[in-house]
Amino acid sequence: MRRTAFWVTIVLAACPAGFSQTPNAAMSARAAGRFLDQATWGPTADSISSLQGMGIAAWLNYQFGLNNSDLPDQPVLNAAGRINADLRPVQEAFFVNAVTGEDQLRQRVAFALSQIWVVSAVAGVPDAYAYPPYWRIFRDNAFGNYRDIIKAVTLSPAMGRYLNMANNNKGNAARGTAANENYARELMQLFTLGLAQLNSDGTPVLDSAGNAVPTYDQAAVTNLARALTGWTYPTAPGATARANNPAFYMGQMFAVDAEHDTTGKTIFGNITIRAGQTAAQDLESVLDALMQQDTMAPFVCQQLIQHLVTSNPNPQYVERVSRVFLNNGQGTRGDMKAVIAAILTDPDARYGDADSAAPMSNYGHLREPILFVTNLLRGLNGKLAPGTNVPAAASALGENLFNAPSVFSYFSPGYRTEKGLSGPEFQIDSTQTAAVRANLVNTLVYRTLDKYTTVDLAPFVSRAGDLNGLLDSIAVVFLHGSMSSALRQAALDAAGAAPTALAKAQAALYIVLTSGEYQIIQ
């Protein structure tokens, strides 16, 4: 009970003034819909009503306790005795969980983390059986500590293969070999520190000449790579352990100290790892050193804010969340539960909940393909079964699940729009994908995607006798209860010209769901 009370206190402390979070608060449908767009795979009529009854604090505590979605383990080999590279069953299970699973917040955060800590079947890890255990790292640590995420991914055989840390032996001067630097470099650049030191608000630290101060140099990359030598793949069942095991993706990599560089190393932050340590000891030293770096807080928190709430967070928002990353209120760094609560209850995240709130310029983010597809299906009361073509639909829009084109994921976290605003997901938005989005809406609303994917328009059809009531119900589920007069009129015109209740609902849904107002989450 004391632990639950602590988290309620954390959540309430982060809420904006005047925004009540008691279970009996009169929370508007608009506020509930906005929150669920940020914290889940998409609002539904039922989830909006449930959140209104619970309040945000109780909802968060409930979601923090859920962990009941999984991806099915896959066979190592296919029927022909070759590498099983068929990811479809894993992708299908992912989307079934996203559309119908109860642990919505855990899944959303896990997906965000997987977009930072990328492992991909593209030019990397083709084996389908590698992905369920890799996904579980983020599922199980989504509300844990960021240090534990770093360690679990570092010892993941999938990451070991993708960025060459597995069988990364100490250098041998006689043979002219050196430790592979791939994982060491990306560990700093993409997963923890970034290229430039950051102030707590995410702005770069500048030297006297006005240049960004780097977080590390090449010597730090080389020395960190040496600190991470001596790890090999888990031993496959029935096999004999070797110093350099062949690839096997179940379990964690283990240390082979004979292949570990035991010399002293000076890494980032001018931190020295003392000589004579084992591979496991050096890893712990690296983890401790990473968690000491204050720049990690804004680097990680800004990306999480971008994935969950807004692509272009203002520095004050980043700073408030960074402070929670550095200290959860009990002196702990990297507490993901506290960080996620801070992100979702921050005044910037909750500002637009009030009906009277003026629009925030430069706020929100484009529904990236996977979010777009899942949001559509949840709002349309979708049901999925194995065999669904939903993964292919997301792929056609630019996000082929577990097939990110590079270690930078589907889009670069540093991508900016032509106006100079941060907008990573716009990197994969194009005229072609815009047309594909409209086609997908047409298919879901007017036809059938496949026999394993169904939607239920009955709740909207039942309101078609009152077109304004119909549009109100669509707005609540898909637009947080807000719809411009121009969009409303276009939808009214389309629905009014349709002959039947079903056709009216379909016409109104199509107009709204292909609109720019729906594509951008605000």
Side-chain angles (χ1 to χ4, degrees):
M1 288 299 295
R2 286 188 301 171
R3 184 171 180 82
T4 300
F6 169 68
W7 286 115
V8 170
T9 301
I10 288 290
V11 171
L12 290 174
C15 286
F19 191 85
S20 177
Q21 291 306 321
T22 61
N24 297 320
M27 186 179 191
S28 71
R30 173 186 174 89
R34 288 190 72 254
F35 180 86
L36 292 169
D37 235 339
Q38 297 162 357
T40 74
W41 293 109
T44 67
D46 287 344
S47 67
I48 289 171
S49 176
S50 177
L51 177 57
Q52 286 182 279
M54 297 176 70
I56 288 177
W59 187 91
L60 283 172
N61 279 316
Y62 177 68
Q63 287 288 318
F64 286 151
L66 295 176
N67 187 2
N68 48 10
S69 290
D70 199 10
L71 299 180
D73 288 323
Q74 298 298 298
V76 176
L77 302 176
N78 60 22
R82 300 191 180 99
I83 289 175
N84 172 28
D86 183 6
L87 272 167
R88 288 176 301 174
V90 186
Q91 293 173 320
E92 292 164 6
F94 175 96
F95 281 100
V96 170
N97 291 340
V99 173
T100 62
E102 189 179 16
D103 53 344
Q104 288 283 301
L105 179 60
R106 185 179 292 274
Q107 290 185 57
R108 269 298 302 275
V109 174
F111 181 60
L113 289 168
S114 74
Q115 291 177 284
I116 298 172
W117 296 85
V118 175
V119 163
S120 174
V122 176
V125 184
D127 308 69
Y129 82 98
Y131 290 89
Y134 189 67
W135 170 255
R136 291 175 193 132
I137 290 175
F138 305 116
R139 180 200 64 181
D140 295 341
N141 291 283
F143 305 138
N145 193 284
Y146 203 74
R147 187 187 194 279
D148 295 331
I149 295 172
I150 301 172
K151 184 174 183 178
V153 175
T154 299
L155 296 183
S156 162
M159 180 61 80
R161 168 70 178 274
Y162 188 61
L163 290 180
N164 310 116
M165 186 176 149
N167 296 335
N168 183 22
N169 298 335
K170 64 183 178 181
N172 186 316
R175 297 178 180 174
T177 64
N180 188 295
E181 298 178 354
N182 202 9
Y183 181 68
R185 179 177 290 104
E186 306 303 0
L187 174 62
M188 293 185 289
Q189 178 181 342
L190 298 180
F191 306 154
T192 57
L193 305 180
L195 291 172
Q197 292 182 31
L198 301 176
N199 296 304
S200 60
D201 64 1
T203 58
V205 175
L206 304 178
D207 61 20
S208 58
N211 299 314
V213 177
T215 51
Y216 59 89
D217 57 16
Q218 179 54 42
V221 176
T222 299
N223 289 334
L224 183 59
R226 291 166 51 219
L228 297 175
T229 53
W231 296 89
T232 191
Y233 294 105
T235 305
T240 301
R242 295 155 54 181
N244 284 175
N245 270 343
F248 182 67
Y249 299 111
M250 301 294 287
Q252 286 189 333
M253 295 196 295
F254 68 90
V256 180
D257 285 318
E259 297 296 347
H260 175 63
D261 186 325
T262 58
T263 61
K265 306 104 177 165
T266 300
I267 56 173
F268 51 83
N270 205 32
I271 294 172
T272 298
I273 297 177
R274 63 186 181 87
Q277 294 195 146
T278 65
Q281 289 170 331
D282 268 12
L283 175 57
E284 294 298 324
S285 295
V286 168
L287 296 173
D288 290 341
L290 284 169
M291 295 303 293
Q292 291 173 26
Q293 306 304 300
D294 288 350
T295 195
M296 184 192 294
F299 180 76
V300 173
C301 292
Q302 179 161 306
Q303 292 188 71
L304 291 173
I305 292 170
Q306 287 178 317
H307 284 296
L308 297 175
V309 177
T310 179
S311 296
N312 195 54
N314 69 53
Q316 294 76 26
Y317 187 2
V318 175
E319 183 167 24
R320 289 190 293 268
V321 179
S322 295
R323 287 200 301 263
V324 175
F325 186 100
L326 294 172
N327 185 343
N328 69 347
Q330 294 189 329
T332 299
R333 286 191 177 216
D335 183 341
M336 289 292 295
K337 191 179 291 185
V339 167
I340 298 305
I343 289 172
L344 294 174
T345 60
D346 187 84
D348 274 20
R350 305 275 55 86
Y351 168 81
D353 290 354
D355 292 337
S356 59
M360 292 178 66
S361 61
N362 307 330
Y363 179 85
H365 64 107
L366 176 70
R367 296 185 195 275
E368 63 184 270
I370 289 176
L371 287 181
F372 175 71
V373 171
T374 55
N375 187 281
L376 281 174
L377 288 165
R378 282 178 60 78
L380 295 174
N381 310 296
K383 300 293 182 185
L384 278 63
T388 177
N389 283 328
V390 167
S395 180
L397 291 170
E399 277 189 321
N400 187 358
L401 186 64
F402 304 124
N403 284 270
S406 77
V407 72
F408 292 95
S409 194
Y410 305 99
F411 40 79
S412 170
Y415 181 80
R416 292 186 174 272
T417 68
E418 62 180 13
K419 301 295 185 181
L421 296 178
S422 176
E425 64 281 357
F426 280 95
Q427 189 174 24
I428 57 174
D429 187 45
S430 66
T431 53
Q432 178 181 348
T433 58
V436 175
R437 285 180 182 235
N439 289 340
L440 178 61
V441 172
N442 184 283
T443 298
L444 291 175
V445 170
Y446 284 101
R447 301 193 300 277
T448 302
L449 184 65
D450 58 70
K451 64 181 180 180
Y452 306 105
T453 308
T454 61
V455 299
D456 180 10
L457 305 185
F460 302 106
V461 175
S462 67
R463 293 173 171 82
D466 172 10
L467 293 186
N468 281 307
L470 169 63
L471 291 183
D472 287 343
S473 67
I474 293 173
V476 166
V477 174
F478 293 105
L479 297 175
H480 317 144
S482 176
M483 187 184 300
S484 70
S485 57
L487 178 58
R488 191 176 190 92
Q489 189 60 54
L492 280 171
D493 291 344
T500 66
L502 173 60
K504 291 178 186 298
Q506 289 171 320
L509 283 164
Y510 180 80
I511 294 296
V512 171
L513 298 178
T514 55
S515 70
E517 291 179 35
Y518 173 65
Q519 306 300 319
I520 304 296
I521 304 175
Q522 290 188 317

